[in-house]
Amino acid sequence: MPSIFDVSPFDGGWCVKIADTGEVLFFTARRQAIAEARALARLWPKEVKVKVRPRRVPGLTETWTPADFAYPLGAPA
């Protein structure tokens, strides 16, 4: 079963919840939270799914795995 990194909004910013450890990392911007979740997913020793929940559409979720992002965020294609 893969580890889950849940990127979700909260009052005042965004957070990354790491299901395996219970840690919650807080960020002011969505982009920062997604970049950190992606970086952690690449380094995580187990299979990982990154779930991103949008602020305005409850119930909608984007799900990624490290294989879905072969290039670092901001790298030229």
Side-chain angles (χ1 to χ4, degrees):
M1 184 167 170
S3 299
I4 304 294
F5 291 5
D6 193 9
V7 179
S8 56
F10 75 98
D11 291 340
W14 289 80
C15 65
V16 177
K17 299 173 191 168
I18 303 170
D20 284 358
T21 63
E23 291 178 88
V24 180
L25 308 172
F26 296 96
F27 302 92
T28 56
R30 179 179 187 261
R31 176 179 272 178
Q32 287 176 304
I34 291 172
E36 187 64 25
R38 289 174 63 166
L40 287 171
R42 281 191 201 93
L43 300 173
W44 207 252
K46 293 173 37 179
E47 180 185 356
V48 174
K49 284 193 177 184
V50 177
K51 292 186 175 185
V52 181
R53 301 175 190 280
R55 187 177 296 277
R56 291 185 174 82
V57 185
L60 180 67
T61 303
E62 298 175 45
T63 303
W64 303 329
T65 63
D68 295 333
F69 37 87
Y71 299 102
L73 199 61

